[in-house]
Amino acid sequence: MKASGTMRGAVSELKEFERQAEAEKRQIAAVRENGVGLLTPELLERYSDKTNLPAQELVLAYGRLGGTVSFTPEQLHQMYLARKRREEKFNNRIYGVKIASLLRASRPADKERAKEVRNATLYQRKGNLLFFRVSGREQPFYRVQIRLENWQEALYTATPAMRAVREVLQGRVSIECPCGRHQYWYRYLATIGKYAIDPLEHDFPKIRNPKLTGCCCKHVLRAIRELGSNRVLLVLARQMDAERKKPGFKSVERKQMFNQSDLNILISRRLHRDAMAALRKYKAAADAMEKKQTPRRSSAVLQGIDPKVVQAVGDIARLYRQLNMDSGEAIRGIADKYKLNAAQIDAILKEDRA
Ligand SMILES: [Zn+2]
């Protein structure tokens, strides 16, 4: 069949991309090991005290062709201050920063460029670490990583998966992109702000970004946009449901590409529309429950129960069935909250299937 053939092709493409991204990571690390002329934390620390600055200019190697670049003590002191300000701006005792803060701190120029980035696909997960394949210009794709710092704690709650994931996405995240913009401008900021993912960068970006402004490259911004999409929300909710069912809550710490059915949602346009429709229903059910809208008739065993609750339970059960997700958790949550007993839940589900 053509559709499944296309999907198989997409999966092997993604596998090949992942192999390349790993090779590229090793290569960048090797080049970085041999870095020259680095403005290390220790070096910068010598310029912390304005009243006691070293007298001489600092001359550092620039590039690998024998060039040099020099800085006055006052320039270095300004860089030291820029680092201090940046450290204070982000709470650096906790890992990750909220997406809203990342967006606020990003430069308008990067946001503009992000609009031209064609595609970002979430394809793989390692515990709380998500991998995106993002279109690039210098090379076809970059592997952007986003770590959801609140994923683990959300796993242990009884909050229905869909809502739990939505909360996780509003929580703190850390970021990484292998592109030059991130490497030379922003990785140092991410490291001192404690929202970097390996590799970290401890040496000051003295040439490109001495004032330490900006935050995300266009690839990270594009991945963040995808992270906010309904299809990602759905797949992550399915992942969370599956992970919660594992004995002893063992989390998937191995790197794992999503299975066919999740990749279908993440890649296919048609299924994306289906997922959107399912999600709209879910939202409607949740809204109905909260706003207590139009009731519908109920059977005898359900007398005395708020009809909107009855409807919400039915809607959620149906949605989870459509998505092949276990609705147990979600329904138990509602049952607890609204004090429904097992017979009442059964009646609702029976009525709903009828
Ligand atoms: Zn990038």
Side-chain angles (χ1 to χ4, degrees), residues 142 144 176-183 216-221:
Y142 290 96
V144 170
E176 161 62 21
C177 180
C179 79
R181 181 77 162 172
H182 184 76
Q183 182 176 354
C216 301
C217 68
K218 62 181 177 182
H219 313 107
V220 169
L221 289 169

